Structures are given as structure tokens and as C-alpha cells.
């Protein structure tokens, strides 16, 4: 999801979830959100809170940067 400056957060939630053989509902329940939240996050239409991002990384036992990546938009002039 991009903001007005073009910055965004890319994620690999889908890849980690599929490798773990989990449904969106199972992952959502494990980290305290709905299946719909996982769905829109995987599609790139939702940027999770920092707390949720850490919960997801902790669930998969990886560093937060292994799942979520900052993508810089336009440079300041």
C-alpha cells in the first residue's frame, strides 16, 4: 500500500504462510486478526501496525525484515 509520497511496505506474508501450510484463517487466529486482514495484507492493500508485524514475524520465528520491507518512494527535493 503506497502513501502520498509513494512509500510502501512490501511483505512476504503469503510466502511464509504457504510454506507453513496454513490457511489465512489459521494465521489470522494465531496473530489475533481476521482472515480478511491477512487477505488484504497479502494483496498489498493493507499495511499492518508495527505490533502486528512483530507478531507475524515472531509467529514464523524470523526477523521482521525477513517478511516486511520498506520501499522508498519519491525523493525529497
Amino acid at each position: 500500500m503506497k502513501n502520498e509520497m509513494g512509500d510502501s511496505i512490501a511483505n512476504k506474508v503469503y510466502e511464509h504462510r504457504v510454506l507453513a501450510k496454513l490457511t489465512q484463517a489459521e494465521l489470522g487466529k494465531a496473530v489475533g486478526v481476521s482472515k480478511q486482514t491477512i487477505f488484504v495484507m497479502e494483496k498489498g492493500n493493507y499495511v499492518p501496525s508495527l505490533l502486528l508485524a512483530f507478531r507475524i514475524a515472531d509467529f514464523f520465528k524470523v526477523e521482521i525484515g525477513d517478511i516486511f520491507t520498506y520501499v522508498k518512494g519519491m525523493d525529497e527535493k
Side-chain angles (χ1 to χ4, degrees):
M1 172 174 248
K2 292 186 177 185
N3 69 11
E4 63 275 356
M5 294 193 61
D7 293 358
S8 64
I9 301 292
N11 75 73
K12 295 180 182 175
V13 173
Y14 174 80
E15 290 88 339
H16 281 80
R17 179 179 63 77
V18 169
L19 287 173
K21 298 181 180 175
L22 295 169
T23 66
Q24 291 172 335
E26 289 168 334
L27 178 56
K29 184 174 181 179
V31 298
V33 297
S34 69
K35 170 190 171 198
Q36 291 79 11
T37 299
I38 300 299
F39 173 77
V40 295
M41 190 183 323
E42 289 179 350
K43 294 294 182 189
N45 296 326
Y46 173 74
V47 176
S49 69
L50 191 53
L51 179 60
L52 178 54
F54 272 103
R55 278 188 198 150
I56 292 169
D58 185 60
F59 176 81
F60 288 117
K61 297 180 178 27
V62 298
E63 295 293 322
I64 196 167
D66 293 338
I67 298 182
F68 298 96
T69 307
Y70 170 66
V71 180
K72 189 173 182 176
M74 300 182 307
D75 290 330
E76 292 182 19
K77 296 183 180 181

